[in-house]
Amino acid sequence: MRSIRDLGSSHGWRLQRGVLDDGREVFAKTGAAASGVFASEAAGLRWLGEAIAVPEVVEVGADRLVLSWVRQEPPTAAAAERFGRSLATMHRAGAAAFGAPWPGFIAELPMDNSAAADWPSFYGSRRVLPFLRMARLPAPDVAAVERAVERFAEVAGPPEPPARIHGDLWSGNVLWSGESGVLIDPAAHGGHRETDLAMLELFGLPYLDRVLGAYREEWPPAEGWRERVPLHQLHPLLVHVVLFGGGYRDSLMNAVRRVLAL
């Protein structure tokens, strides 16, 4: 490598920007990682990249992931609209099943990507309940989440085929470049497309109204999708409780109450 610059750390991994001997700029995550984390991210990027712009996987190993560098630009309304249309295109590319043929991770936390027959059972058994067990919530909170899970089939809306989703689509995983959004750090799998839309709403995104408007023009979500946003936010909120503690408990339980009221 011709040059390298440290960018700090995240989840215990060292982040770096470098220039290869052939002049290409790259981004690297290095360091000890849970077994398979970098391979899982690389597999997800390559899969999503069949349908939407993502960084190229330059190298992947047990202790490193090297990607092409994304030159960032300020977000614009036009870029947001283009991203909304691209996101719909990616979702429509579909998946073979709810799940993925590689082990799943969100940050450093493992996720079960084994297939399930339908989305409500996949979401309950592979996403919500495992993280509920890790969250160490008070017994009444656990019981409330379990009651919500029991309602998933009833409140999930019309059945849809598996969509090709990012799976961790908060604003920090959307880089603005080339007059669109570029996806990074996926927890990619075959899931429900409303999950990505709900995640964008959870922590906000520049020009989100333009993103969602363009998405709806390209592929309108099923009726009632707005009311189902809290359902799809249960998993990311549980992830945040596990990673960062009880500060996210109130947001989680508010979403649970809204699901129970559907």
Side-chain angles (χ1 to χ4, degrees), residues 70 117 136 140 153 157 159 171 186 189 198 204 212 225:
V70 177
R136 299 182 179 179
S171 59
H189 62 279
L212 295 177
W225 73 276

mmCIF file with all atom_site columns, all heavy atoms in Angstrom, residues 70 117 136 140 153 157 159 171 186 189 198 204 212 225:
data_model
loop_
_atom_site.group_PDB
_atom_site.id
_atom_site.type_symbol
_atom_site.label_atom_id
_atom_site.label_alt_id
_atom_site.label_comp_id
_atom_site.label_asym_id
_atom_site.label_entity_id
_atom_site.label_seq_id
_atom_site.pdbx_PDB_ins_code
_atom_site.Cartn_x
_atom_site.Cartn_y
_atom_site.Cartn_z
_atom_site.occupancy
_atom_site.B_iso_or_equiv
_atom_site.pdbx_formal_charge
_atom_site.auth_seq_id
_atom_site.auth_comp_id
_atom_site.auth_asym_id
_atom_site.auth_atom_id
_atom_site.pdbx_PDB_model_num
ATOM 1   N N   . VAL A 1 70  ? -15.370 5.687   -0.987 1.00 0.00 ? 70  VAL A N   1
ATOM 2   C CA  . VAL A 1 70  ? -16.521 6.434   -1.490 1.00 0.00 ? 70  VAL A CA  1
ATOM 3   C C   . VAL A 1 70  ? -16.267 7.916   -1.261 1.00 0.00 ? 70  VAL A C   1
ATOM 4   O O   . VAL A 1 70  ? -16.136 8.364   -0.103 1.00 0.00 ? 70  VAL A O   1
ATOM 5   C CB  . VAL A 1 70  ? -17.824 6.006   -0.780 1.00 0.00 ? 70  VAL A CB  1
ATOM 6   C CG1 . VAL A 1 70  ? -18.996 6.855   -1.286 1.00 0.00 ? 70  VAL A CG1 1
ATOM 7   C CG2 . VAL A 1 70  ? -18.097 4.519   -1.013 1.00 0.00 ? 70  VAL A CG2 1
ATOM 8   N N   . ALA A 1 117 ? -40.339 -19.833 6.685  1.00 0.00 ? 117 ALA A N   1
ATOM 9   C CA  . ALA A 1 117 ? -41.373 -19.955 5.665  1.00 0.00 ? 117 ALA A CA  1
ATOM 10  C C   . ALA A 1 117 ? -42.057 -18.640 5.344  1.00 0.00 ? 117 ALA A C   1
ATOM 11  O O   . ALA A 1 117 ? -42.520 -18.425 4.224  1.00 0.00 ? 117 ALA A O   1
ATOM 12  C CB  . ALA A 1 117 ? -42.417 -20.991 6.101  1.00 0.00 ? 117 ALA A CB  1
ATOM 13  N N   . ARG A 1 136 ? -31.713 -8.132  28.545 1.00 0.00 ? 136 ARG A N   1
ATOM 14  C CA  . ARG A 1 136 ? -31.775 -8.051  30.012 1.00 0.00 ? 136 ARG A CA  1
ATOM 15  C C   . ARG A 1 136 ? -32.786 -7.006  30.482 1.00 0.00 ? 136 ARG A C   1
ATOM 16  O O   . ARG A 1 136 ? -32.504 -6.182  31.359 1.00 0.00 ? 136 ARG A O   1
ATOM 17  C CB  . ARG A 1 136 ? -30.395 -7.756  30.600 1.00 0.00 ? 136 ARG A CB  1
ATOM 18  C CG  . ARG A 1 136 ? -29.352 -8.815  30.294 1.00 0.00 ? 136 ARG A CG  1
ATOM 19  C CD  . ARG A 1 136 ? -28.017 -8.514  30.928 1.00 0.00 ? 136 ARG A CD  1
ATOM 20  N NE  . ARG A 1 136 ? -27.040 -9.553  30.627 1.00 0.00 ? 136 ARG A NE  1
ATOM 21  C CZ  . ARG A 1 136 ? -25.779 -9.539  31.049 1.00 0.00 ? 136 ARG A CZ  1
ATOM 22  N NH1 . ARG A 1 136 ? -25.338 -8.518  31.787 1.00 0.00 ? 136 ARG A NH1 1
ATOM 23  N NH2 . ARG A 1 136 ? -24.965 -10.522 30.740 1.00 0.00 ? 136 ARG A NH2 1
ATOM 24  N N   . PRO A 1 140 ? -41.668 -7.557  33.143 1.00 0.00 ? 140 PRO A N   1
ATOM 25  C CA  . PRO A 1 140 ? -42.870 -7.036  32.473 1.00 0.00 ? 140 PRO A CA  1
ATOM 26  C C   . PRO A 1 140 ? -42.603 -6.566  31.047 1.00 0.00 ? 140 PRO A C   1
ATOM 27  O O   . PRO A 1 140 ? -43.459 -6.725  30.170 1.00 0.00 ? 140 PRO A O   1
ATOM 28  C CB  . PRO A 1 140 ? -43.299 -5.873  33.375 1.00 0.00 ? 140 PRO A CB  1
ATOM 29  C CG  . PRO A 1 140 ? -42.714 -6.183  34.712 1.00 0.00 ? 140 PRO A CG  1
ATOM 30  C CD  . PRO A 1 140 ? -41.400 -6.847  34.416 1.00 0.00 ? 140 PRO A CD  1
ATOM 31  N N   . ALA A 1 153 ? -48.081 -12.112 12.935 1.00 0.00 ? 153 ALA A N   1
ATOM 32  C CA  . ALA A 1 153 ? -48.793 -12.595 11.754 1.00 0.00 ? 153 ALA A CA  1
ATOM 33  C C   . ALA A 1 153 ? -50.064 -11.808 11.503 1.00 0.00 ? 153 ALA A C   1
ATOM 34  O O   . ALA A 1 153 ? -50.466 -11.597 10.345 1.00 0.00 ? 153 ALA A O   1
ATOM 35  C CB  . ALA A 1 153 ? -49.119 -14.084 11.912 1.00 0.00 ? 153 ALA A CB  1
ATOM 36  N N   . GLY A 1 157 ? -49.447 -7.008  7.811  1.00 0.00 ? 157 GLY A N   1
ATOM 37  C CA  . GLY A 1 157 ? -49.910 -6.529  6.519  1.00 0.00 ? 157 GLY A CA  1
ATOM 38  C C   . GLY A 1 157 ? -49.958 -7.640  5.490  1.00 0.00 ? 157 GLY A C   1
ATOM 39  O O   . GLY A 1 157 ? -49.691 -8.809  5.793  1.00 0.00 ? 157 GLY A O   1
ATOM 40  N N   . PRO A 1 159 ? -49.100 -10.377 2.818  1.00 0.00 ? 159 PRO A N   1
ATOM 41  C CA  . PRO A 1 159 ? -47.851 -11.117 2.568  1.00 0.00 ? 159 PRO A CA  1
ATOM 42  C C   . PRO A 1 159 ? -47.145 -10.600 1.319  1.00 0.00 ? 159 PRO A C   1
ATOM 43  O O   . PRO A 1 159 ? -47.780 -10.286 0.316  1.00 0.00 ? 159 PRO A O   1
ATOM 44  C CB  . PRO A 1 159 ? -48.327 -12.562 2.386  1.00 0.00 ? 159 PRO A CB  1
ATOM 45  C CG  . PRO A 1 159 ? -49.652 -12.625 3.060  1.00 0.00 ? 159 PRO A CG  1
ATOM 46  C CD  . PRO A 1 159 ? -50.272 -11.267 2.863  1.00 0.00 ? 159 PRO A CD  1
ATOM 47  N N   . SER A 1 171 ? -29.161 6.266   8.956  1.00 0.00 ? 171 SER A N   1
ATOM 48  C CA  . SER A 1 171 ? -28.568 7.305   8.115  1.00 0.00 ? 171 SER A CA  1
ATOM 49  C C   . SER A 1 171 ? -27.056 7.188   7.989  1.00 0.00 ? 171 SER A C   1
ATOM 50  O O   . SER A 1 171 ? -26.484 7.540   6.954  1.00 0.00 ? 171 SER A O   1
ATOM 51  C CB  . SER A 1 171 ? -28.939 8.695   8.645  1.00 0.00 ? 171 SER A CB  1
ATOM 52  O OG  . SER A 1 171 ? -28.487 8.863   9.982  1.00 0.00 ? 171 SER A OG  1
ATOM 53  N N   . PRO A 1 186 ? -23.838 -3.321  5.509  1.00 0.00 ? 186 PRO A N   1
ATOM 54  C CA  . PRO A 1 186 ? -25.145 -3.986  5.510  1.00 0.00 ? 186 PRO A CA  1
ATOM 55  C C   . PRO A 1 186 ? -25.220 -5.140  6.505  1.00 0.00 ? 186 PRO A C   1
ATOM 56  O O   . PRO A 1 186 ? -24.218 -5.744  6.885  1.00 0.00 ? 186 PRO A O   1
ATOM 57  C CB  . PRO A 1 186 ? -25.249 -4.518  4.078  1.00 0.00 ? 186 PRO A CB  1
ATOM 58  C CG  . PRO A 1 186 ? -23.834 -4.808  3.703  1.00 0.00 ? 186 PRO A CG  1
ATOM 59  C CD  . PRO A 1 186 ? -23.027 -3.704  4.331  1.00 0.00 ? 186 PRO A CD  1
ATOM 60  N N   . HIS A 1 189 ? -30.067 -9.391  3.940  1.00 0.00 ? 189 HIS A N   1
ATOM 61  C CA  . HIS A 1 189 ? -30.753 -10.676 3.921  1.00 0.00 ? 189 HIS A CA  1
ATOM 62  C C   . HIS A 1 189 ? -32.070 -10.512 3.170  1.00 0.00 ? 189 HIS A C   1
ATOM 63  O O   . HIS A 1 189 ? -32.467 -9.395  2.840  1.00 0.00 ? 189 HIS A O   1
ATOM 64  C CB  . HIS A 1 189 ? -31.015 -11.185 5.342  1.00 0.00 ? 189 HIS A CB  1
ATOM 65  C CG  . HIS A 1 189 ? -31.913 -10.297 6.152  1.00 0.00 ? 189 HIS A CG  1
ATOM 66  N ND1 . HIS A 1 189 ? -31.453 -9.165  6.792  1.00 0.00 ? 189 HIS A ND1 1
ATOM 67  C CD2 . HIS A 1 189 ? -33.244 -10.365 6.430  1.00 0.00 ? 189 HIS A CD2 1
ATOM 68  C CE1 . HIS A 1 189 ? -32.452 -8.576  7.436  1.00 0.00 ? 189 HIS A CE1 1
ATOM 69  N NE2 . HIS A 1 189 ? -33.553 -9.281  7.225  1.00 0.00 ? 189 HIS A NE2 1
ATOM 70  N N   . ALA A 1 198 ? -38.576 1.625   7.594  1.00 0.00 ? 198 ALA A N   1
ATOM 71  C CA  . ALA A 1 198 ? -38.763 1.965   9.009  1.00 0.00 ? 198 ALA A CA  1
ATOM 72  C C   . ALA A 1 198 ? -37.451 2.352   9.671  1.00 0.00 ? 198 ALA A C   1
ATOM 73  O O   . ALA A 1 198 ? -37.412 3.237   10.533 1.00 0.00 ? 198 ALA A O   1
ATOM 74  C CB  . ALA A 1 198 ? -39.402 0.790   9.741  1.00 0.00 ? 198 ALA A CB  1
ATOM 75  N N   . GLY A 1 204 ? -33.717 9.152   11.189 1.00 0.00 ? 204 GLY A N   1
ATOM 76  C CA  . GLY A 1 204 ? -33.748 10.274  10.262 1.00 0.00 ? 204 GLY A CA  1
ATOM 77  C C   . GLY A 1 204 ? -32.723 10.148  9.149  1.00 0.00 ? 204 GLY A C   1
ATOM 78  O O   . GLY A 1 204 ? -31.759 9.392   9.232  1.00 0.00 ? 204 GLY A O   1
ATOM 79  N N   . LEU A 1 212 ? -38.635 8.826   0.326  1.00 0.00 ? 212 LEU A N   1
ATOM 80  C CA  . LEU A 1 212 ? -39.841 8.022   0.428  1.00 0.00 ? 212 LEU A CA  1
ATOM 81  C C   . LEU A 1 212 ? -40.819 8.330   -0.709 1.00 0.00 ? 212 LEU A C   1
ATOM 82  O O   . LEU A 1 212 ? -41.492 7.427   -1.217 1.00 0.00 ? 212 LEU A O   1
ATOM 83  C CB  . LEU A 1 212 ? -40.507 8.248   1.785  1.00 0.00 ? 212 LEU A CB  1
ATOM 84  C CG  . LEU A 1 212 ? -39.695 7.787   3.002  1.00 0.00 ? 212 LEU A CG  1
ATOM 85  C CD1 . LEU A 1 212 ? -40.425 8.138   4.291  1.00 0.00 ? 212 LEU A CD1 1
ATOM 86  C CD2 . LEU A 1 212 ? -39.392 6.297   2.941  1.00 0.00 ? 212 LEU A CD2 1
ATOM 87  N N   . TRP A 1 225 ? -48.712 0.869   5.593  1.00 0.00 ? 225 TRP A N   1
ATOM 88  C CA  . TRP A 1 225 ? -47.302 0.678   5.948  1.00 0.00 ? 225 TRP A CA  1
ATOM 89  C C   . TRP A 1 225 ? -46.830 1.675   6.994  1.00 0.00 ? 225 TRP A C   1
ATOM 90  O O   . TRP A 1 225 ? -45.985 1.346   7.834  1.00 0.00 ? 225 TRP A O   1
ATOM 91  C CB  . TRP A 1 225 ? -46.423 0.743   4.696  1.00 0.00 ? 225 TRP A CB  1
ATOM 92  C CG  . TRP A 1 225 ? -46.248 2.116   4.112  1.00 0.00 ? 225 TRP A CG  1
ATOM 93  C CD1 . TRP A 1 225 ? -47.092 2.745   3.259  1.00 0.00 ? 225 TRP A CD1 1
ATOM 94  C CD2 . TRP A 1 225 ? -45.151 3.010   4.336  1.00 0.00 ? 225 TRP A CD2 1
ATOM 95  N NE1 . TRP A 1 225 ? -46.600 3.989   2.924  1.00 0.00 ? 225 TRP A NE1 1
ATOM 96  C CE2 . TRP A 1 225 ? -45.412 4.168   3.573  1.00 0.00 ? 225 TRP A CE2 1
ATOM 97  C CE3 . TRP A 1 225 ? -43.995 2.946   5.087  1.00 0.00 ? 225 TRP A CE3 1
ATOM 98  C CZ2 . TRP A 1 225 ? -44.540 5.262   3.570  1.00 0.00 ? 225 TRP A CZ2 1
ATOM 99  C CZ3 . TRP A 1 225 ? -43.115 4.021   5.081  1.00 0.00 ? 225 TRP A CZ3 1
ATOM 100 C CH2 . TRP A 1 225 ? -43.392 5.162   4.321  1.00 0.00 ? 225 TRP A CH2 1
#
